[in-house]
């Protein structure tokens, strides 16, 4: 029954109520991506290659093939990791002029895959297990063949950031599929009641870093965790699990967190990004260490959060008049996502506290826990807080897929 259920269900069922994707052109710069992310509640922005002025369109003919494709996605973590490179720390403003391609080329292959609405849920699961993070699915036609001229349709397409060749798209994620399976979990009995330990879906290959290690040494692990849709564990010298540096939490920060990565320990960075904004004592530490590393240009170019910006500006303009100093201390722009209202989005004030489970937790309990906390994974720990491993949505989907083959 479960096999036929997944074969009969179309991915369009998972698109209901989803907003159309906001997009950037693949020719955009990192600065464009940063502006889009800072002014959007979306944690990811899709990146597209489009040719709206193909010869057939200009002649008013129907386009035979797709002229728009989603080629990737970008988030604040991508930008932060790029800005945290040693050479880019010296000149952040120059780094922001780099093309998005420098980020996209580092993404794993098949990170996004186009899929037709009529494709089955089983096909979607197989694509995810093959490495696709997001399945891009058309949801509505942005324009219709009514009395609107073809030229007018093209003008409308160009004015809509969510429209591509007259179509709008959403994307399906691992979380969407897990939510859907949870709604029909009874079809998979007795699988949901089994423990994650007995199912063998706890991965011991985790990304971890010592609490006192420099946060900058975690950058490769942070980039990999973003690609794997997992996280970086923070552990002590005995392997006790303390917390995490999560791409989801980093994604709710702004670009100025690159300064914290360059100056703080992994443990302090965990506290720095923990919901709502960084503590003032850590801001002072970041400022002092930037000066020690001769990276004050970051303060001047980023205007990093008002406490840092004020000190940096006042120091650089000590010989100026009071009026000039007052003007210099005014931030050039809002301090990114930290400055947004707490009611703006639940994800904007997400805490960095890690979500954990026990090896004997049942599969269905872990699914519910992950969905409730909007994470793609749970850390698995013993009663003494020693880290056992991690269980991911991908692990869960794999065991569901294997279960179907035995039915």
């Amino acid at each position: 029954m479960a096999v036929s259920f997944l074969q009969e269900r179309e991915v369009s069922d998972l698109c209901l109520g989803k907003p159309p994707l906001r997009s950037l052109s693949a020719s955009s710069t990192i600065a464009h991506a940063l502006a889009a992310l800072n002014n959007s509640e979306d944690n990811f922005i899709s990146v597209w290659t489009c040719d709206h002025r193909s010869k057939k369109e200009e002649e008013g003919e129907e386009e035979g093939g797709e002229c728009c494709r989603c080629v990737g996605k970008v988030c604040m973590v991508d930008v932060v990791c790029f800005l945290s490179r040693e050479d880019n720390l010296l000149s952040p403003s120059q780094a922001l002029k780099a093309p998005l391609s420098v980020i996209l080329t580092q993404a794993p292959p098949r990170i996004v895959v186009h899929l037709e609405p009529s494709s089955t849920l089983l096909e979607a699961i197989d694509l995810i297990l093959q490495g696709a993070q997001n399945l891009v699915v058309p949801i509505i036609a942005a324009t219709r063949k009514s009395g609107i001229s073809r030229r007018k349709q093209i003008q409308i397409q160009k004015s809509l950031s969510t429209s591509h060749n007259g179509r709008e798209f959403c994307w399906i994620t691992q979380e969407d599929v897990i939510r859907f399976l949870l709604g029909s979990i009874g079809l998979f009995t007795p699988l949901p009641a089994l423990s994650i330990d007995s199912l063998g879906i706890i991965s011991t290959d985790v990304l971890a870093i010592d609490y006192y290690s420099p946060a900058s040494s975690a950058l490769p692990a942070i980039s990999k965790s973003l690609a794997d849709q997992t996280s970086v564990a923070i552990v002590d010298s005995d392997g006790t699990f303390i917390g995490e540096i999560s791409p989801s939490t980093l994604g709710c920060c702004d670009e100025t967190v690159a300064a914290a990565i360059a100056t703080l320990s992994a443990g302090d960075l965990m506290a720095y990004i923990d919901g709502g904004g960084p503590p003032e004592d850590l801001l002072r530490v970041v400022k002092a260490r930037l000066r020690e590393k001769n990276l004050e240009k970051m303060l001047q170019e980023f205007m990093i959060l008002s406490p840092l910006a004020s000190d940096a500006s006042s120091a650089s303009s000590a010989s100026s008049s009071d009026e000039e100093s007052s003007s210099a201390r005014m931030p050039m722009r809002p301090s990114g996502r930290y400055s947004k209202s707490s009611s703006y989005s639940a994800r904007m004030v997400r805490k960095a506290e890690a979500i954990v489970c026990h090896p004997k937790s049942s599969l269905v309990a872990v699914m519910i826990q992950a969905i409730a906390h909007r994470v793609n994974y749970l850390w698995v720990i013993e009663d003494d807080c020693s880290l056992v491993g991690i269980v991911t949505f991908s692990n869960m989907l794999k065991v569901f897929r294997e279960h179907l083959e035995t039915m």
Side-chain angles (χ1 to χ4, degrees), residues 43-359:
N43 282 349
F44 290 89
I45 303 291
S46 60
V47 183
W48 293 70
T49 57
C50 294
D51 181 10
H52 290 302
R53 295 179 295 178
S54 63
K55 184 177 180 181
K56 287 185 178 181
E57 284 185 321
E58 288 175 354
E59 294 173 353
E61 299 178 18
E62 291 295 329
E63 182 62 52
E66 285 189 334
C67 64
C68 290
R69 288 198 69 80
C70 180
V71 295
K73 60 181 185 176
V74 64
C75 69
M76 186 62 71
V77 183
D78 291 311
V79 176
V80 167
C81 287
F82 179 73
L83 293 176
S84 297
R85 295 180 189 174
E86 188 173 352
D87 53 339
N88 292 334
L89 288 172
L90 298 173
S91 183
S93 62
Q94 191 63 34
L96 290 173
K97 297 177 183 177
L100 266 181
S101 57
V102 299
I103 289 177
L104 295 180
T105 53
Q106 297 171 4
R110 297 175 63 81
I111 194 169
V112 296
V113 176
H114 279 258
L115 198 62
E116 286 303 314
S118 58
S119 300
T120 67
L121 188 55
L122 197 59
E123 290 176 288
I125 292 174
D126 286 340
L127 284 171
I128 289 174
L129 292 178
Q130 292 167 19
Q133 283 193 12
N134 297 76
L135 304 176
V136 181
V137 184
I139 48 175
I140 57 172
T143 57
R144 302 187 181 279
K145 295 179 182 178
S146 55
I148 303 176
S149 68
R150 184 63 177 174
R151 183 179 296 276
K152 181 65 174 177
Q153 289 183 18
I154 295 172
Q155 291 175 350
I156 293 174
Q157 289 169 201
K158 291 179 181 179
S159 67
L160 295 175
S161 62
T162 59
S163 176
H164 304 282
N165 200 25
R167 306 173 88 184
E168 289 187 320
F169 297 78
C170 70
W171 52 28
I172 304 300
T173 65
Q174 292 181 8
E175 180 185 342
D176 294 323
V177 178
I178 290 291
R179 282 180 179 274
F180 195 84
L181 292 177
L182 187 60
S184 304
I185 199 68
L187 296 175
F188 300 91
T189 303
L191 184 66
L194 301 178
S195 71
I196 57 174
D197 187 19
S198 65
L199 289 170
I201 60 173
I202 303 174
S203 174
T204 56
D205 183 19
V206 299
L207 298 166
I209 186 170
D210 184 78
Y211 184 91
Y212 294 104
S213 296
S216 57
S217 66
L219 279 172
I222 292 172
S223 295
K224 190 174 189 311
S225 69
L226 179 63
D228 296 343
Q229 300 185 81
T230 57
S231 186
V232 181
I234 305 296
V235 297
D236 65 12
S237 57
D238 297 324
T240 300
F241 182 73
I242 299 175
E244 67 175 348
I245 298 175
S246 164
S248 297
T249 307
L250 269 178
C252 294
C253 301
D254 63 15
E255 70 277 13
T256 64
V257 77
I261 293 174
T263 55
L264 298 178
S265 68
D268 283 342
L269 177 64
M270 187 171 62
Y272 187 97
I273 65 176
D274 185 14
E280 289 193 13
D281 58 334
L282 286 180
L283 285 173
R284 288 191 289 270
V285 171
V286 170
K287 179 190 66 175
R289 291 179 181 173
L290 284 175
R291 286 175 174 166
E292 290 172 7
K293 293 174 177 284
N294 294 318
L295 292 175
E296 288 187 273
K297 195 171 184 181
M298 288 195 72
L299 295 176
Q300 298 165 3
E301 294 192 11
F302 268 173
M303 301 300 288
I304 297 178
L305 304 175
S306 55
L308 293 183
S310 297
D311 288 349
S313 298
S314 59
S316 64
S317 53
S319 60
S320 302
S321 67
D322 290 342
E323 182 178 352
E324 290 171 338
S325 296
S326 176
S327 175
R329 285 195 294 268
M330 291 298 291
M332 297 296 291
R333 55 177 172 75
S335 56
R337 295 188 165 199
Y338 288 130
S339 65
K340 292 184 178 181
S341 166
S342 60
S343 63
Y344 180 77
S345 168
R347 287 177 293 174
M348 305 309 290
V349 292
R350 176 181 165 185
K351 293 291 184 180
E353 182 180 355
I355 311 303
V356 301
C357 66
H358 192 271

